[in-house]
Each structure stands twice: as C-alpha cells, then as structure tokens.
Amino acid sequence: MKVIAPSILSADFSRLGDEIKAVESAGADWIHADIMDGHFVPNITFGPMIVESVRRVTSLPIDVHLMIENPNDYIPAFAKVGASLISVQAEASIHLNRSVQLIRECSARPGVVLNPSTPVQTLEWIIDHVDYVLIMSVNPGFGGQAFIKNSLDKVRALRQLIQQKNLKTLIEIDGGVNEETITDIAAAGVDVFVAGSAIFGSRDYQTTINAFRQKIGA
Ligand code: DX5
Ligand code: ZN
C-alpha cells in the first residue's frame, strides 16, 4: 500500500476547505495535519478546532502529527474531533508507551515520530505497540525545507527492524518530499509520503500527485 498524504501546513488557509476538497479529488489518500505549539518547535500552527473543520469537509483519514510538548494532554481532544491517526514525537513524550496506549484508548491509530538525529534504536521497546513510524526528513517546524539525505539510511534501518520483528508497521516520511526525492525515498521502503509545499505549491494538484504515483509505482 502506498499512501500520499498532503500536509495542509502549506495550504492556503484563507480557502482551507476548498484546498482539502481539491487534494482529495486530485487523489490524496490521507490529510496530514501539523500541530505545533511554539515550544517543541519554533512555530505555532493550529489546534483541534481546525481539525474539526477539516473533518467536516472530507472523509479521508486525518493524520495528526503532534509537534507539541505534553502531548498526552491533547490526544483526547484531537481524537474527539475526528483525528484518525495521531503521532507523537519520541523526544516530546517522557511516557511514550502511555501516550501510545492513550491514542488507542481514544480509538485513533498510534504512531511515533523520530526527529532527524534520533536513532531508530529508540523504537526498540515501542515499535510493536504502534501502527506506524514517522521519520522526519527535515527539522520539524516549517514546510519547504530541503530533504535530509541520511534519512534514507534511517528508513532502511527501520525497514530492517520491522522485518526482523515480523511486524506490519507502516513507515511514513515527512519533509522535503518532492518529484526529485520521492523515487529514492520509495526505493528505501517508505509506505506513506507526506508532502506539503511540493503539492500545495504546485500549479495542478492532480498532475503532481499523479507524478508522485508514477515515480513510486503506485
Ligand atoms: C514540518 C512538518 C511537515 C511539513 C512538510 O514540521 O511536519 O509535515 O509540513 O512540508 P514539506 O513537504 O514542504 O517539506
Ligand atoms: Zn508533519
């Protein structure tokens, strides 16, 4: 299964509903929502209220990426307004297993996120509790940054760990995904491709998503 998940961080927020409908009809599989608190990352975006608005205009899975401190305080609120998947940063949760348990208790699919310098080994005792692992291939906080090349080695190491443990964990990549980088990313073993500026910054969303699919063979 190969999933294309446009990140609305790069959408035109003055027309967010139209933008979401446009990427949905252009073939998006998930909608990626970047939640930032100005503490864990040097940027502030939006909260459950916006996710609730997104839920009203699409039936696609909403993939909520929490780049916030104290994520456990906000997991129920995002689940309540319709988050389908919720990922927490390994670096932001001192009780990561409890965060993952809480996401499941709130009937969302749990994921864990690794920042660029956080090793795959961090996942050793949590990977069999999550549905997906999100590999940050840029430093979190902003769209439009350059893909960090050694993320490919990290994806390969993660793919190996999943195979060793005989798991079905999905690998999601986030940051700097575009027509130039996506072929190598797919070859490294990624299942879910988050792209913000490459999609919302393009002239035609359908052409861009089709080009992505053509390059990843899906
Ligand atoms: C960055 C966010 C990413 C970002 C991706 O902190 O987590 O989802 O929106 O943006 P692009 O695809 O433009 O790198
Ligand atoms: Zn993200």
Side-chain angles (χ1 to χ4, degrees), residues 1-2 152 155 159 171-173 185-193:
M1 160 177 114
K2 298 284 181 209
L152 295 178
V155 166
R159 180 53 68 199
I171 302 179
E172 183 173 6
I173 191 111
I185 293 169
V190 165
D191 305 294
V192 183
F193 303 80

Side-chain angles (χ1 to χ4, degrees), residues 6-215:
S7 161
I8 57 174
L9 183 66
S10 299
D12 175 353
F13 267 70
S14 70
R15 302 181 305 108
L16 186 58
D18 296 342
E19 290 272 72
I20 288 167
K21 287 179 193 144
V23 287
E24 180 167 4
S25 49
D29 298 301
W30 297 356
I31 298 293
H32 185 81
D34 287 310
I35 312 302
M36 302 181 191
D37 64 357
H39 293 281
F40 182 74
V41 288
N43 194 4
I44 297 175
T45 55
F46 51 86
M49 195 180 71
I50 296 290
V51 173
E52 189 172 27
S53 309
V54 172
R55 183 74 288 155
R56 279 205 297 274
V57 294
T58 181
S59 54
L60 290 181
I62 303 175
D63 166 30
V64 168
H65 174 191
L66 295 180
M67 287 163 275
I68 63 174
E69 289 181 356
N70 309 314
N72 291 15
D73 298 348
Y74 298 95
I75 286 165
F78 282 101
K80 187 160 166 267
V81 294
S84 321
L85 308 101
I86 300 176
S87 56
V88 296
Q89 298 269 169
E91 306 86 356
S93 173
I94 44 174
H95 298 291
L96 188 52
N97 188 294
R98 185 177 293 152
S99 302
V100 168
Q101 254 178 32
L102 179 57
I103 295 168
R104 275 208 201 285
E105 281 160 16
C106 293
S107 312
R109 297 181 65 186
V112 60
V113 192
L114 297 183
N115 272 342
S117 66
T118 304
V120 167
Q121 289 71 7
T122 312
L123 298 167
E124 189 169 1
W125 301 107
I126 195 69
I127 190 161
D128 39 359
H129 293 264
V130 296
D131 286 8
Y132 62 107
V133 174
L134 172 48
I135 299 286
M136 287 308 294
S137 35
V138 294
N139 289 302
F142 301 92
Q145 300 178 79
F147 183 82
I148 297 173
K149 286 212 177 11
N150 69 5
S151 311
L152 295 178
D153 298 329
K154 202 163 166 185
V155 166
R156 284 188 275 267
L158 177 55
R159 180 53 68 199
Q160 221 172 7
L161 177 64
I162 291 167
Q163 272 156 1
Q164 264 163 18
K165 289 184 169 262
N166 200 18
L167 296 169
K168 295 204 173 356
T169 321
L170 294 176
I171 302 179
E172 183 173 6
I173 191 111
D174 188 6
V177 178
N178 56 43
E179 288 189 50
E180 286 68 48
T181 57
I182 199 166
T183 307
D184 291 343
I185 293 169
V190 165
D191 305 294
V192 183
F193 303 80
V194 175
S197 52
I199 293 177
F200 286 109
S202 70
R203 235 172 26 77
D204 183 278
Y205 301 160
Q206 178 93 57
T207 308
T208 306
I209 291 177
N210 288 349
F212 278 7
R213 288 204 190 284
Q214 204 262 324
K215 287 176 182 280

